[in-house]
Amino acid sequence: MANKILTVDDSKTVRIIVNKAFRPFDCQIVEAANGVEGLAVASKEQPNLILLDITMPVMDGVEMLTKLKADPALKTIPVIMLTAEGGRDQVLKIAKLGIRDYIVKPFKEDLLIEKVSKVLEIKEKDAGEKVRRTVFDALNLLVLDDKPAIVQQIQEGLKHTPWKITGVSATGEAIDTIGRTPFDLALVSLSLPEEGGFTFFRLLRQNPKTKLIPVLGLAVKTDAEAQQKAQQVGFTQVISKPIDMSDMETRIVRSLNLDTSLRYFSIREGALVFKLPEQITPFHLAEISQALKGKISEAVNSGIAAGILDLHEVKGMDMQAIKLVMQAMTLCKEVSLPVALVGNDRVKADCRSFEDTQAWKFADDEQTARASLLAPAS
């Protein structure tokens, strides 16, 4: 399914540039000329991403962003702000409202595509099916930080992945290492002596073999100067210390545009198994929602005759999780795919407390659910 991108800008020229930039890609562009129109179009079209100008008549980008984030139906839509050079500081101030990135006008089409592709998977038209890397692929990550404890934290925090984490403490060592071994992504301290992290970044970008490697900066949260400089020179993202490992893993996944659907969907013994994680975060909701319809259609097209919604690891069901399960059940019903639920005692109790879900029936395990769906009628 093509991604839908909403561009909100009072400049028709900018909207034309955005349309032109995405013309080679399988994307649908919808437009609005101010914040009021932008909110209306966002509500109607439910875009996958919004490109939002700051300075506009009627309602500016800041007010629209505030209203967007206050609307439960729209707040998860990622936003990239567009600003003139003089508005860069303002963007940094409003970043706390929740934006994915920003672009300074005038901008080149390549930069726009690069920024958007870090948030969405955009495919070229007629490009054919390309093999997309997944979170279960063996990736090589380089960590350049002179603090051994940071390197160790990252290695420990990502040891549940198949990724190989190589730690180095000095810029020269990093250059030697990356010259011997190709890397998929680099995590670079912004507080190295003599701005070693920035020197390493420039060398990576000057080398045709490494210029496209995502580079994530590591900076103390209060070091606004280093963070701002990293964004100016083009670091892919900046991660604050102390490091939230879950957030770091998410940023790595997005920077490399990895397919995460295998975390939740699998085909086992004739059934599509859709498994929710213990803690369902907004990131999980976005990942699953994006893949849900495609995975169900793919399963049915390949002859799968049953679906299992496995909630046995979930530690509690809130409204967002319930909406997601209801969405899955509705999609399965639309394609006549019978489904069974698997849940633990907590999930069962939570669902009994909601009117819409109190009648749901749960199997205790996947095998019981599969047997109820696939057993021949007696």
Side-chain angles (χ1 to χ4, degrees), residues 20-286:
K20 180 174 177 291
F22 287 98
R23 201 167 294 156
F25 298 92
D26 189 20
C27 295
Q28 180 186 355
I29 307 298
V30 290
E31 302 179 18
N34 57 61
V36 173
E37 289 183 12
L39 287 171
V41 176
S43 184
K44 178 183 177 183
E45 300 288 346
Q46 293 290 314
N48 303 99
L49 181 142
I50 298 174
L51 299 170
L52 179 58
D53 188 28
I54 289 184
T55 305
M56 294 181 292
V58 185
M59 180 188 290
D60 65 20
V62 178
E63 186 176 356
M64 177 180 163
L65 179 65
T66 304
K67 291 181 180 297
L68 194 77
K69 294 303 178 185
D71 188 331
L74 304 176
K75 66 180 182 181
T76 60
I77 299 174
V79 175
I80 294 178
M81 299 296 290
L82 304 181
T83 182
E85 177 63 34
R88 188 195 301 270
D89 291 342
Q90 188 181 6
V91 171
L92 296 177
K93 289 179 182 176
I94 65 173
K96 61 183 179 182
L97 293 176
I99 61 171
R100 193 60 62 83
D101 208 336
Y102 74 96
I103 299 173
V104 176
K105 295 194 270 187
F107 54 83
K108 295 183 178 179
E109 294 177 11
D110 289 349
L111 177 63
L112 178 63
I113 299 300
E114 178 187 339
K115 296 272 189 179
V116 170
S117 63
K118 290 174 184 172
V119 182
L120 299 178
E121 181 190 8
I122 55 174
K123 297 178 179 179
E124 293 182 18
K125 293 178 180 175
D126 304 323
E129 290 298 324
K130 296 179 180 178
V131 177
R132 183 183 176 191
R133 292 188 294 182
T134 80
V135 289
F136 298 120
D137 287 344
L139 304 172
N140 284 326
L141 275 56
L142 178 72
V143 181
L144 169 57
D145 199 305
D146 57 350
K147 308 294 188 299
I150 295 294
V151 175
Q152 185 177 2
Q153 180 191 4
I154 295 173
Q155 290 172 329
E156 285 292 317
L158 297 178
K159 67 180 181 182
H160 63 282
T161 73
W163 307 342
K164 180 181 178 182
I165 316 296
T166 300
V168 294
S169 60
T171 306
E173 187 181 2
I175 294 170
D176 291 341
T177 303
I178 209 159
R180 295 192 301 270
T181 306
F183 282 85
D184 298 290
L185 180 143
L187 296 149
V188 178
S189 172
L190 302 181
S191 57
L192 291 172
E194 300 177 349
E195 297 197 328
F198 293 97
T199 300
F200 181 59
F201 175 80
R202 285 193 291 272
L203 290 172
L204 289 178
R205 289 295 179 260
Q206 291 169 3
N207 187 335
K209 294 181 180 179
T210 60
K211 69 178 183 178
L212 297 179
I213 292 177
V215 182
L216 279 59
L218 304 173
V220 177
K221 191 173 184 178
T222 54
D223 192 353
E225 183 179 349
Q227 294 184 40
Q228 185 172 351
K229 182 175 180 179
Q231 290 172 333
Q232 288 173 342
V233 302
F235 272 69
T236 306
Q237 295 192 50
V238 177
I239 295 172
S240 296
K241 298 178 183 177
I243 297 172
D244 178 331
M245 287 307 305
S246 176
D247 175 68
M248 168 176 277
E249 184 176 342
T250 298
R251 289 169 182 263
I252 291 172
V253 166
R254 285 177 172 161
S255 296
L256 291 168
N257 191 28
L258 302 178
D259 181 0
T260 59
S261 64
L262 296 180
R263 284 174 168 166
Y264 316 107
F265 301 93
S266 60
I267 301 293
R268 289 203 293 267
E269 300 178 36
L272 171 66
V273 180
F274 164 34
K275 186 175 181 180
L276 286 181
E278 288 184 8
Q279 301 290 344
I280 306 171
T281 67
F283 178 62
H284 292 135
L285 290 169

